[in-house]
Amino acid sequence: FEKVEVVELSVPAGSAIIHHQDVWHGSGVNQSASVHRRALAVHALQGDVRLVDSPTYIYGRYKLSDTDELRDEFFPKIPTV
């Protein structure tokens, strides 16, 4: 196995973390009994990306049988400057 570096981050309420898709990440148990944890996930992909024949569980739900393209209704294009 490859040795990995584990880094613990302390993230104040209302903050955000941005990381590369290949970074292993997770969080501990929500310690609050009265406040729910909220999350927003955004996957930014290049426009020329294509889906493989058997995508993983995250992207598999977006694979349509007739195409390998990332469809606009699932992955809207972000304008570039």
Side-chain angles (χ1 to χ4, degrees):
F1 291 98
E2 183 179 331
K3 185 176 181 175
V4 296
E5 178 184 1
V6 176
V7 177
E8 186 174 326
L9 300 176
S10 177
V11 183
S15 297
I17 297 173
I18 299 173
H19 58 81
H20 188 274
Q21 67 182 13
D22 292 344
V23 171
W24 293 0
H25 57 281
S27 59
V29 175
N30 183 1
Q31 299 295 320
S32 173
S34 61
V35 180
H36 297 289
R37 181 178 288 162
R38 303 288 187 229
L40 170 66
V42 176
H43 293 204
L45 307 170
Q46 292 182 189
D48 62 349
V49 169
R50 297 290 178 255
L51 293 166
V52 296
D53 286 335
S54 299
T56 62
Y57 74 98
I58 293 174
Y59 296 105
R61 66 189 86 175
Y62 304 110
K63 172 84 168 94
L64 302 179
S65 60
D66 63 335
T67 182
D68 63 353
E69 294 180 15
L70 297 176
R71 302 280 296 262
D72 287 344
E73 59 267 33
F74 301 134
F75 300 94
K77 291 186 174 58
I78 300 172
T80 58
V81 194

